[in-house]
């Protein structure tokens, strides 16, 4: 449904995104994340047809829509868009907002589609209300319903939850994912919040300085980050110093472990090992202990900052009934399905 091949966008002599390649099949949801100014919104605008290309191609289901030599107008791309500010019409009712893009249908068909979408977004009885009578979450659902009403081939979402509170963002992201899956709609979302991306996306692209660092599933990004930037940007973790005993084994302050993620590591080479909070398991029977430096209560879990005997610091995510005081020594062990190792930067 969507293919970007070596996409480049420039403003005058300044190239803001370069060599962007990704693809989404029908019904897949992709998210672009990264720090402010990394180019993620520029990519969304290029897909929509608002930005010309300096290089590469964009293909939708109907074929190439953007290249250096061809530019299909936005209104001919069969796209839907949901904006940060919802961009709803205050003088129209909820039902009239949803039906705004259905002029090509008969009145009966448009009414049927509007009612169907009101039920789909969980607001079946609000069709006669006006926008100012809705909460922020309700407005977001109506903005989504309006965007998908004409059944666009691709839906683009530009930080759609940024104006909502954190708890509502997470629940709404889950609901919108279910709605898009119900409609079998391909979508691309831009967000600065990686947890929104984890909730929404089948595939996530991590951007830095106008380049795609990694395009992968949420699981792969978290557990198999391709480089240090992705490892640092996605989730929480630390890089623990280690030394290669041979090409497959690494010695750390936790002990000796096998790794198969990076090839061409030589015996004696200094490396850094990525350790996530969920890799550290609280275990009173373990012979390895660490000192509690800090703790953050998170309901069902507590995030501990621990200091190993080597002086290295790690995070441990433990069930909250394991409630230990700052300064206390606790038993821990390392539980890794796979070890992610990077050559040490001197």
């Amino acid at each position: 449904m969507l293919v970007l091949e070596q996409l480049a966008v420039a403003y005058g002599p300044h190239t803001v995104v370069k060599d962007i390649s990704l693809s989404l099949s029908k019904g897949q949801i992709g998210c672009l994340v990264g720090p402010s100014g990394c180019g993620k919104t520029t990519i969304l605008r290029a897909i929509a047809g608002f930005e010309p290309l300096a290089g590469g191609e964009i293909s939708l289901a109907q074929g190439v829509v953007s290249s250096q030599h061809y530019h299909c107008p936005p209104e001919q791309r069969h796209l839907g868009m949901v904006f940060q500010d919802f961009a709803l019409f205050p003088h129209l009712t909820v039902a009239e907002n949803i039906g705004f893009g259905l002029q090509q249908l008969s009145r009966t068909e448009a009414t049927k589609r509007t009612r169907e979408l009101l039920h789909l977004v969980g607001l079946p009885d609000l069709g006669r209300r006006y926008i100012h009578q809705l909460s922020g979450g309700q407005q977001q659902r109506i903005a989504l319903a309006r965007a998908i009403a004409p059944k666009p081939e691709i839906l683009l979402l530009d930080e759609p939850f940024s104006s909502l509170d954190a708890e509502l963002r997470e629940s709404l992201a889950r609901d919108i994912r279910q709605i898009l899956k119900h409609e079998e709609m391909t979508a691309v979302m831009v967000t600065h919040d990686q947890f929104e991306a984890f909730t929404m996306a089948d595939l996530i692209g991590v951007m830095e300085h106008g380049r795609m660092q990694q395009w992968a599933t949420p699981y792969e990004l978290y557990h198999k980050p391709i480089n240090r930037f992705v490892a640092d940007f996605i989730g929480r973790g630390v890089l623990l110093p280690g030394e290669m005993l041979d090409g497959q084994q690494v010695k750390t302050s936790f002990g000796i472990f096998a790794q198969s993620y990076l090839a061409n590591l030589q015996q004696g080479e200094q490396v850094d090992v990525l350790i996530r909070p969920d890799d550290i398991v609280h275990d009173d029977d373990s012979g390895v202990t660490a000192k509690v430096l800090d703790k953050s209560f998170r309901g069902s879990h507590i995030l501990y900052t621990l200091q190993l005997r080597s002086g290295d610091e790690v995070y441990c995510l433990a069930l909250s009934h394991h409630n230990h005081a700052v300064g206390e020594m606790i038993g821990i062990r390392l539980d890794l399905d796979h070890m992610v190792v990077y050559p040490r930067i001197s």
Side-chain angles (χ1 to χ4, degrees), residues 32-244:
L32 299 175
V33 300
S36 296
C38 68
K40 53 189 185 292
T41 297
T42 299
I43 294 173
L44 202 72
R45 290 176 56 81
I47 296 170
F50 300 150
E51 302 290 350
L53 301 190
E57 287 185 349
I58 299 174
S59 298
L60 301 180
Q62 69 266 33
V64 175
V65 294
S66 285
S67 70
Q68 283 183 280
H69 310 294
Y70 175 71
H71 185 82
C72 176
E75 64 273 13
Q76 295 179 18
R77 297 194 180 201
H78 308 294
L79 301 174
M81 288 203 71
V82 179
F83 300 95
Q84 291 183 38
D85 60 359
F86 310 152
L88 295 168
F89 302 117
H91 62 288
L92 300 181
T93 65
V94 165
E96 289 168 342
N97 265 278
I98 294 174
F100 184 78
L102 300 177
Q103 292 91 342
Q104 78 279 12
L105 301 181
S106 68
R107 178 174 293 183
T108 300
E109 290 174 325
T111 300
K112 180 182 177 182
R113 177 64 172 161
T114 299
R115 287 176 177 169
E116 173 187 317
L117 287 167
L118 280 169
H119 279 274
L120 186 62
V121 300
L123 303 173
D125 302 320
L126 302 187
R128 295 184 177 181
R129 292 192 184 180
Y130 286 87
I131 300 306
H132 72 273
Q133 297 174 305
L134 306 181
S135 68
Q138 290 171 332
Q139 289 182 27
Q140 182 58 276
R141 291 170 185 269
I142 298 306
L144 176 70
R146 185 184 64 179
I148 66 177
K151 299 186 177 180
E153 292 177 345
I154 308 282
L155 181 68
L156 306 178
L157 303 104
D158 184 12
E159 301 212 18
F161 312 117
S162 60
S163 63
L164 306 176
D165 64 76
E167 185 175 347
L168 180 58
R169 287 203 303 265
E170 185 175 350
S171 63
L172 195 55
R174 286 195 300 268
D175 292 344
I176 287 180
R177 175 179 168 84
Q178 291 177 351
I179 291 167
L180 294 178
K181 290 298 182 181
H182 178 273
E183 291 284 294
E184 297 183 332
M185 188 163 293
T186 307
V188 182
M189 183 175 82
V190 163
T191 179
H192 63 277
D193 187 328
Q194 59 183 271
F195 298 107
E196 285 176 15
F198 285 162
T199 303
M200 281 280 291
D202 300 304
L203 292 164
I204 299 174
V206 180
M207 299 280 300
E208 183 195 26
H209 300 317
R211 291 182 180 270
M212 183 75 73
Q213 298 298 311
Q214 190 170 2
W215 175 253
T217 65
Y219 179 90
E220 290 172 321
L221 285 180
Y222 187 83
H223 289 289
K224 299 180 180 179
I226 198 169
N227 57 34
R228 290 169 179 269
F229 176 81
V230 177
D232 184 60
F233 187 82
I234 296 294
R236 184 189 287 262
V238 298
L239 291 170
L240 202 64
E243 179 182 349
M244 298 305 301

